[in-house]
Amino acid sequence: MMNRSSMEVLVAARAVLLCSLVAMPFLQGAHAAGSCLPAEKAALLKFKAGIKEDPDNLLQGWVKSTDCCASWFGVVCDAHGHVVRLDLRPDPAFDEGVFLTGTISSSLASLSKLTYLDLGDLKNLSGALPEDLGKLKHLQHLDVRTNKLTGSIPSSFGSLTNLDFLSLGGNFLTGSIPASLGDLGPKLNYLYLAGGSLSGHIPASIFHLPNLTNLYLGSNQLSGGIPTDLSALATLQVLDLPGNKLSGKLPKNIGKHLNQLGSLDVSSNKFSGSIPASIGLISDLRFLALNDNKFSGHIPAALANLKGLVYADLASNHLTGPIPQGAPFSTIGNFDNNPGLCGSPLPACRK
């Protein structure tokens, strides 16, 4: 029979054997599942080095001696130690002050498996968007909105064909919208470029993204018109173009092709001509803003058929004739500053 001392020796030997078997893959060069890859940790530390102020200590725990996959704020890894998610967006409940001051390092392009990158609403990120971010082929979500980024939108972003969400607005971006964004393909459903200083025409390629549901280009300096062929945008639910220098006529078939729209805002531009009667075909339309343009002629009677409207603004145009009657259109609509209009809620038309 084995005595107590011999039993303890056997248990210890088994423990040593087990530890050696577990450690064997690492001795052969394999990486511990889920622990941070050294090259990707280095890339994140380079990003941190570009941050000059961090008053909320978002990156305080980002230190070389710890595992970036296990304890770093905003970092999520896969089972192989690749960083797949970097999300530093602040909690909207505490949206006060400055969150990060600094630049976006091109080192993030080394996170080859990254699918989610959110640096939105950090307020004081500045400098240019790195061209190299276009190398992140697995990226599905890219959000840098509401910062102080400058320069142009990299044309390389058109290579991010797995994106379903792209938000660059609320910065100081200049230049034209790259036509290459039209190459983003069928996965993209949300494109937010509003609130910058983008100029030039809207690339026709943008209007050929087949599954786009939300398009925000407002509050820029865009010029030119809207392409007449909108048939590829059948899924669009929000078309937001206010506060630009867009001109020409709205396509006559806009309501036929964009019949899923819930919101149509082309206010504060230079559109002219008549209001397309086809807008009356958009049965789910809730928000309609055509104000502060140069629209002329009669308001189409079909607009009174929009029973789901909660907001309608046609003010400050050159519209004439009677306002089509029917709730909610004539009861909630704003028709001010159209001297040629008459009928409720404006003074009655002369007989």
Side-chain angles (χ1 to χ4, degrees):
M1 179 177 292
M2 188 177 298
N3 59 32
R4 181 180 179 88
S5 177
S6 299
M7 180 67 75
E8 290 174 347
V9 170
L10 180 59
V11 170
R14 285 177 176 173
V16 170
L17 178 60
L18 179 60
C19 288
S20 65
L21 290 174
V22 172
M24 190 175 296
F26 309 137
L27 297 175
Q28 294 174 346
H31 191 270
S35 60
C36 194
L37 292 166
E40 301 204 0
K41 177 187 284 189
L44 291 173
L45 289 173
K46 285 182 181 179
F47 169 79
K48 181 183 178 180
I51 302 302
K52 305 307 179 185
E53 294 181 24
D54 181 10
D56 292 294
N57 296 319
L58 298 178
L59 308 183
Q60 185 178 37
W62 287 29
V63 292
K64 190 174 182 180
S65 60
T66 59
D67 185 351
C68 72
C69 295
S71 60
W72 288 18
F73 174 78
V75 176
V76 177
C77 301
D78 65 13
H80 305 287
H82 288 288
V83 177
V84 294
R85 184 182 180 103
L86 177 57
D87 185 359
L88 300 180
R89 175 184 288 276
D91 187 334
F94 301 97
D95 191 11
E96 298 289 342
V98 175
F99 291 100
L100 287 181
T101 297
T103 57
I104 300 175
S105 173
S106 60
S107 66
L108 294 182
S110 299
L111 306 177
S112 60
K113 301 297 183 181
L114 196 66
T115 62
Y116 192 102
L117 176 58
D118 199 329
L119 305 176
D121 294 325
L122 291 171
K123 298 189 176 182
N124 263 17
L125 292 179
S126 59
L129 282 166
E131 184 87 22
D132 283 351
L133 293 183
K135 298 176 181 178
L136 295 172
K137 305 300 184 183
H138 296 280
L139 206 59
Q140 300 171 13
H141 179 108
L142 174 56
D143 191 347
V144 296
R145 77 174 77 191
T146 318
N147 281 289
K148 295 181 179 178
L149 299 170
T150 55
S152 58
I153 299 173
S155 59
S156 65
F157 282 15
S159 300
L160 301 173
T161 53
N162 280 305
L163 279 181
D164 57 44
F165 186 103
L166 177 59
S167 179
L168 311 177
N171 285 287
F172 301 111
L173 298 175
T174 57
S176 58
I177 299 173
S180 61
L181 294 190
D183 297 330
L184 288 172
K187 294 184 179 179
L188 191 71
N189 58 61
Y190 186 100
L191 180 59
Y192 183 84
L193 304 179
S197 297
L198 298 172
S199 57
H201 291 194
I202 302 172
S205 58
I206 297 295
F207 292 94
H208 290 86
L209 292 166
N211 292 308
L212 198 63
T213 58
N214 293 264
L215 178 59
Y216 297 91
L217 304 178
S219 300
N220 282 292
Q221 299 178 31
L222 299 170
S223 58
I226 298 176
T228 56
D229 184 11
L230 300 173
S231 57
L233 286 179
T235 59
L236 201 64
Q237 298 172 15
V238 175
L239 179 58
D240 189 83
L241 305 175
N244 281 290
K245 300 177 181 178
L246 298 170
S247 59
K249 298 180 178 180
L250 291 184
K252 289 184 178 181
N253 58 6
I254 187 170
K256 179 180 179 181
H257 291 315
L258 306 185
N259 56 16
Q260 301 299 313
L261 281 180
S263 177
L264 173 60
D265 189 348
V266 298
S267 61
S268 300
N269 279 288
K270 299 179 180 180
F271 288 112
S272 58
S274 58
I275 296 173
S278 65
I279 292 177
L281 299 174
I282 310 175
S283 59
D284 291 330
L285 197 64
R286 301 289 184 268
F287 186 101
L288 176 63
L290 307 178
N291 52 292
D292 294 286
N293 280 286
K294 298 180 180 179
F295 290 116
S296 59
H298 286 46
I299 299 174
L303 268 59
N305 297 329
L306 297 171
K307 302 303 182 183
L309 281 176
V310 296
Y311 180 92
D313 196 341
L314 285 73
S316 300
N317 281 288
H318 305 301
L319 299 169
T320 58
I323 296 171
Q325 297 301 300
F329 180 72
S330 61
T331 57
I332 65 168
N334 180 9
F335 306 99
D336 294 344
N337 298 319
N338 285 283
L341 280 182
C342 59
S344 181
L346 299 181
C349 299
R350 294 180 180 179
K351 295 182 179 180

